[in-house]
Amino acid sequence: MASNLLKNIIKLDTRVSVSQNVCLPIRCLSTASPRVKDKTGKNIVFVDGVRTPFLLSGTDYAPLMPHQLAKEALIGLMRKTNVPREVVDYIVYGTVIQEVKTSNIGREAALAAGFPHSVPAHTVTMACISSNQGITTGIGLIAAGAYDVIVAGGVEFMSDVPIRHSRKMRSLLLRANKAKTPLDKLKLLSTFRPNFLLPELPAVAEFSSGETMGFSADRLAASFKVSREEQDQYAVRSHTMAKEAQDKGYLTDIVPFRLPNSSKVIEKDNGIRVSPMDKLAKLKAAFVKPHGTVTAANSSFLTDGASACLIMTEEKAKQLGLKPKLYLRDFTYVAQDPIDQLLLGPTYATPKVLEKAGLSVKDIDVWEVHEAFAGQILANLKAMDSDWFAQKYMNRQSKVGVPDLSKWNNWGGSLSIGHPFAATGVRLTVHTANRLVREDGQFGLIAACAAGGQGVGMIVERHPDATAL
């Protein structure tokens, strides 16, 4: 079963399976699905989402600050939806690697984007699922009756990350700031040692284990017997599908970004590269050297980018004359062992969110699953196809089930489009929405792993008024 699964997923096939249960020219949809209950009583909808182009860190965005990217995403969202800023009640924005000058980046970006001073904003962080957390926090605020209109999103800026002095040096500087006399300062200076100057560099690593995520991915791939060739084939699949979606004009969530003090306008993602297998095979292991299977080509790359989306009650959307893309039906967060099961969030989240919504794997028309590493994706697919894994680790009698891989990440994913940590959740959601329209589907499932052994699963349903633009 698993071998057939891998054979299917590595095919560079862009054909889409369409359910037979359709009403031409589009599937029959209703505002009150008989199969999925609205638990909030408010039919909360995802109106639309946008993002800046996702760029490799160290490229065109390098001279900027993260709040500038977030600002452009917020402005782009308001322009695309034609919703006045004054209508927004609250902003929830995500980030992972924080710029210390703008610690509440949601507020700073909102002010820079021209939102009224009276619109509150707060910043969330949940690693790679931070903007998912922004969306679901917004759902909670609306469901509680606190607000009607929420903007959620996220930004990541890996071109310029905070680098700290060592703890010893920080302590010395803080004490020096309190020293009152020249003698006190001289005494402190006498305690200085050259090794105090060694900086603390940020790393994509687990605090609890000290292990880098790439090392964890390599170990996970080995545990599930995912070969180097399979990982490279999956990476080629992701880049090929992303390039086709880009060429066909499907990535309508992108808002062009005009670089400040420049005439240059960035209009597309710059990390999409379709390379031949023989070129990928020449790359050396990136983490477990020399025999590891995770390389730079089959891993997501450090990316700069921002995203934003608009959610509200369906009633409010109608009042504003908007055409939502999705109903936000259900969600769940999961957490596992951050060492051995760090990247298995989709496997754990998928059955939980399906059961909450009363759906099965076969009911899902569009899958959008975060690709941290090709090995991580393939390991999750093998875990979902394993009765043994389900019984031993998930307290389930049988396996989760194999998704229809003709409906899986058909426009590429984080491996090819890029992965600005806190911005990816909105990208997954709007791609799900637009694919549901183009592929004539009803239900979508969004899933992602995150640092700390956590993960998310979300069920969305296409709105009858949805368009892919």
Side-chain angles (χ1 to χ4, degrees):
M1 287 182 291
S3 60
N4 290 334
L5 170 67
L6 294 175
K7 287 178 182 177
N8 287 334
I9 201 162
I10 61 179
K11 288 180 181 178
L12 303 181
D13 182 5
T14 58
R15 290 175 298 174
V16 176
S17 174
V18 180
S19 169
Q20 297 299 313
N21 183 26
V22 298
C23 295
L24 297 177
I26 60 171
R27 181 191 296 266
C28 288
L29 299 170
S30 67
T31 56
S33 170
R35 301 169 62 197
V36 178
K37 296 179 180 179
D38 170 45
K39 297 177 180 177
T40 67
K42 296 188 176 183
N43 267 332
I44 298 171
V45 295
F46 176 95
V47 175
D48 208 344
V50 303
R51 62 185 176 93
T52 67
F54 286 178
L55 303 188
L56 290 153
S57 61
T59 57
D60 284 315
Y61 291 152
L64 306 178
M65 289 184 68
H67 77 281
Q68 292 175 284
L69 287 180
K71 163 194 164 184
E72 291 302 317
L74 292 172
I75 291 173
L77 178 67
M78 296 298 100
R79 285 177 179 165
K80 187 172 185 181
T81 59
N82 200 29
V83 171
R85 291 167 177 78
E86 294 75 17
V87 171
V88 175
D89 295 318
Y90 200 93
I91 296 171
V92 188
Y93 217 75
T95 196
V96 180
I97 309 297
Q98 290 194 349
E99 163 59 57
V100 294
K101 293 181 179 180
T102 55
S103 57
N104 185 1
I105 197 165
R107 177 63 170 169
E108 302 303 333
L111 292 174
F115 281 83
H117 294 176
S118 58
V119 178
H122 81 269
T123 299
V124 296
T125 185
M126 202 174 182
C128 302
I129 55 178
S130 293
S131 58
N132 300 87
Q133 183 59 250
I135 292 170
T136 58
T137 298
I139 292 172
L141 290 170
I142 295 171
Y147 303 107
D148 291 323
V149 180
I150 303 287
V151 166
V155 62
E156 216 61 54
F157 192 72
M158 302 304 293
S159 289
D160 180 29
V161 295
I163 298 174
R164 304 200 302 178
H165 283 295
S166 69
R167 185 164 192 142
K168 290 179 180 179
M169 190 66 187
R170 297 200 306 271
S171 175
L172 179 64
L173 291 172
L174 289 171
R175 285 182 288 143
N177 191 50
K178 296 179 181 178
K180 298 187 182 299
T181 67
L183 182 60
D184 291 337
K185 293 180 180 180
L186 283 172
K187 286 180 180 178
L188 281 174
L189 185 61
S190 69
T191 67
F192 172 79
R193 299 292 181 271
N195 66 357
F196 286 14
L197 295 175
L198 292 174
E200 289 183 2
L201 300 174
V204 183
E206 290 297 300
F207 178 80
S208 58
S209 66
E211 185 174 85
T212 66
M213 194 168 283
F215 193 98
S216 298
D218 229 323
R219 199 155 44 76
L220 184 69
S223 297
F224 281 90
K225 296 182 172 55
V226 180
S227 71
R228 163 71 180 273
E229 183 180 12
E230 289 168 339
Q231 293 174 61
D232 287 350
Q233 286 172 327
Y234 185 90
V236 170
R237 176 191 191 272
S238 181
H239 281 270
T240 300
M241 290 188 161
K243 184 66 166 62
E244 290 179 356
Q246 189 179 68
D247 291 346
K248 290 177 179 178
Y250 288 172
L251 305 184
T252 56
D253 53 326
I254 292 177
V255 291
F257 187 103
R258 186 187 184 95
L259 294 175
N261 305 315
S262 170
S263 61
K264 186 171 184 178
V265 178
I266 311 298
E267 297 183 317
K268 63 181 182 178
D269 308 313
N270 73 353
I272 301 172
R273 293 184 175 87
V274 181
S275 301
M277 280 289 294
D278 59 348
K279 185 175 181 180
L280 270 61
K282 294 176 182 178
L283 295 178
K284 295 181 179 180
F287 301 99
V288 180
K289 302 176 181 180
H291 302 300
T293 58
V294 175
T295 70
N298 58 41
S299 309
S300 58
F301 46 87
L302 296 179
T303 315
D304 300 335
S307 62
C309 68
L310 188 65
I311 68 173
M312 62 185 68
T313 62
E314 185 176 32
E315 180 182 3
K316 187 68 174 180
K318 288 180 178 179
Q319 290 174 5
L320 295 172
L322 300 171
K323 294 183 177 181
K325 289 182 180 288
L326 296 171
Y327 292 107
L328 296 168
R329 290 304 192 195
D330 225 321
F331 65 89
T332 191
Y333 290 92
V334 295
Q336 297 79 236
D337 176 359
I339 298 177
D340 292 330
Q341 298 181 316
L342 175 66
L343 302 171
L344 290 176
T347 297
Y348 283 86
T350 295
K352 285 190 175 183
V353 77
L354 285 172
E355 288 164 7
K356 286 183 70 179
L359 299 174
S360 70
V361 169
K362 293 181 180 179
D363 292 319
I364 301 303
D365 301 301
V366 165
W367 295 80
E368 281 289 334
V369 181
H370 166 50
E371 301 169 345
F373 303 88
Q376 160 257 334
I377 284 288
L378 296 172
N380 272 274
L381 286 166
K382 285 192 173 188
M384 292 171 72
D385 195 35
S386 170
D387 286 319
W388 174 84
F389 186 86
Q391 292 163 8
K392 183 172 177 62
Y393 292 104
M394 300 179 67
N395 196 30
R396 295 175 59 85
Q397 294 301 309
S398 60
K399 63 188 179 184
V400 175
V402 183
D404 182 340
L405 298 174
S406 70
K407 302 174 181 179
W408 178 279
N409 289 11
N410 283 352
W411 293 355
S414 300
L415 287 174
S416 48
I417 293 170
H419 176 41
F421 304 141
T424 290
V426 169
R427 197 271 300 166
L428 291 169
T429 308
V430 73
H431 280 198
T432 301
N434 292 341
R435 281 186 56 204
L436 281 170
V437 174
R438 292 191 183 275
E439 298 170 19
D440 192 26
Q442 182 174 3
F443 293 109
L445 192 148
I446 299 154
C449 58
Q454 302 191 102
V456 68
M458 297 173 63
I459 295 290
V460 297
E461 183 177 7
R462 174 179 157 198
H463 193 277
D465 296 334
T467 69
L469 300 177

